[in-house]
């Protein structure tokens, strides 16, 4: 059943509650409904986590926590899914976002080299920025919808399989 598998993979909720960056939410993160695992909360968590993973901002976890509180998604799962874009995977994922954005806009890909400076960021906003941001928005929406409906389908399949197994006994 997905619930048992997800429980094994989730981070400890005491560590999440003690995170200094999440203290801005105050007592909202202590709401018990944000910690339960059911089909709706897990599907919403996948949507929130995958959406925030494609948003190119620092502190994506805080954004995911805020959205999870607003839509009543599973908080630990929303936060954990943001780490799909980690320092190892981020260059490839965000380059793919840029490629998708150029394809949608019908532009040619521009050669660029990343330089870790504020000036490079300012200069890039006008050159590769529109394609990159559009690609991020499209892929964030696409993957959040795939995650939401995929979890609903997987959960339903798992429950039906368990029912059939129980009926055979």
């Amino acid at each position: 059943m997905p619930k048992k598998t997800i429980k094994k993979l989730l981070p400890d909720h005491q560590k999440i509650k003690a995170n200094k960056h999440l203290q801005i939410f105050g007592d909202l993160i202590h709401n018990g409904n944000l910690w339960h695992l059911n089909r709706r909360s897990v599907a919403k968590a996948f949507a929130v986590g995958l959406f925030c993973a494609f948003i190119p901002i620092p502190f994506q976890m805080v954004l995911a926590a805020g959205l999870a509180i607003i839509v009543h998604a599973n908080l630990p799962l929303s936060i954990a899914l943001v780490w799909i874009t980690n320092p190892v995977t981020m260059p490839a994922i965000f380059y793919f976002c840029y490629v998708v954005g150029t394809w949608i806009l019908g532009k040619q890909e521009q050669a660029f080299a990343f330089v870790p400076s504020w000036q490079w960021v300012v200069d890039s906003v006008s050159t590769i920025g529109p394609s990159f941001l559009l690609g991020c928005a499209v892929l964030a929406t696409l993957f959040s919808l795939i995650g939401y409906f995929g979890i609903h389908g997987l959960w339903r399949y798992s429950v039906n399989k368990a029912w059939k197994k129980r009926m055979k006994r």
Side-chain angles (χ1 to χ4, degrees):
M1 194 174 232
K3 186 174 183 176
K4 292 175 186 174
T5 306
I6 292 170
K7 267 190 177 180
K8 290 178 189 175
L9 299 174
L10 282 179
D12 182 37
H13 58 276
Q14 294 302 329
K15 288 182 181 178
I16 292 173
K17 286 180 181 179
N19 187 307
K20 66 180 180 179
H21 298 294
L22 299 180
Q23 297 304 314
I24 62 171
F25 298 114
D27 290 335
L28 292 174
I29 64 170
H30 298 292
N31 181 353
N33 292 328
L34 297 174
W35 304 93
H36 290 290
L37 286 172
N38 58 50
R39 181 173 43 94
R40 285 179 208 85
S41 71
V42 170
K44 289 178 190 177
F46 265 77
V48 167
L50 291 173
F51 184 83
C52 292
F54 283 89
I55 305 299
I57 60 169
F59 301 107
Q60 294 168 316
M61 290 179 10
V62 176
L63 176 64
L67 288 175
I69 290 169
I70 291 169
V71 299
H72 304 290
N74 182 276
L75 185 66
L77 192 54
S78 297
I79 292 171
L81 282 166
V82 168
W83 281 97
I84 288 173
T85 50
N86 58 58
V88 174
T89 62
M90 194 177 294
I93 289 172
F94 284 162
Y95 179 72
F96 183 64
C97 290
Y98 169 69
V99 170
V100 168
T102 57
W103 178 73
I104 291 171
L105 292 175
K107 292 184 175 182
Q108 289 287 337
E109 289 182 38
Q110 297 179 10
F112 64 90
F114 176 72
V115 179
S117 70
W118 183 250
Q119 187 59 42
W120 182 86
V121 172
V122 171
D123 294 341
S124 297
V125 166
S126 63
T127 57
I128 64 171
S131 298
F132 172 64
L133 294 175
L134 178 64
C136 286
V138 167
L139 291 177
T141 304
L142 177 68
F143 280 105
S144 67
L145 289 172
I146 290 170
Y148 181 82
F149 291 113
I151 289 298
H152 267 290
L154 178 64
W155 202 286
R156 184 163 295 182
Y157 170 77
S158 176
V159 169
N160 285 339
K161 186 177 171 184
W163 272 101
K164 287 177 184 177
K165 187 177 180 182
R166 200 173 300 149
M167 294 298 280
K168 285 183 180 179
R169 280 191 257 155

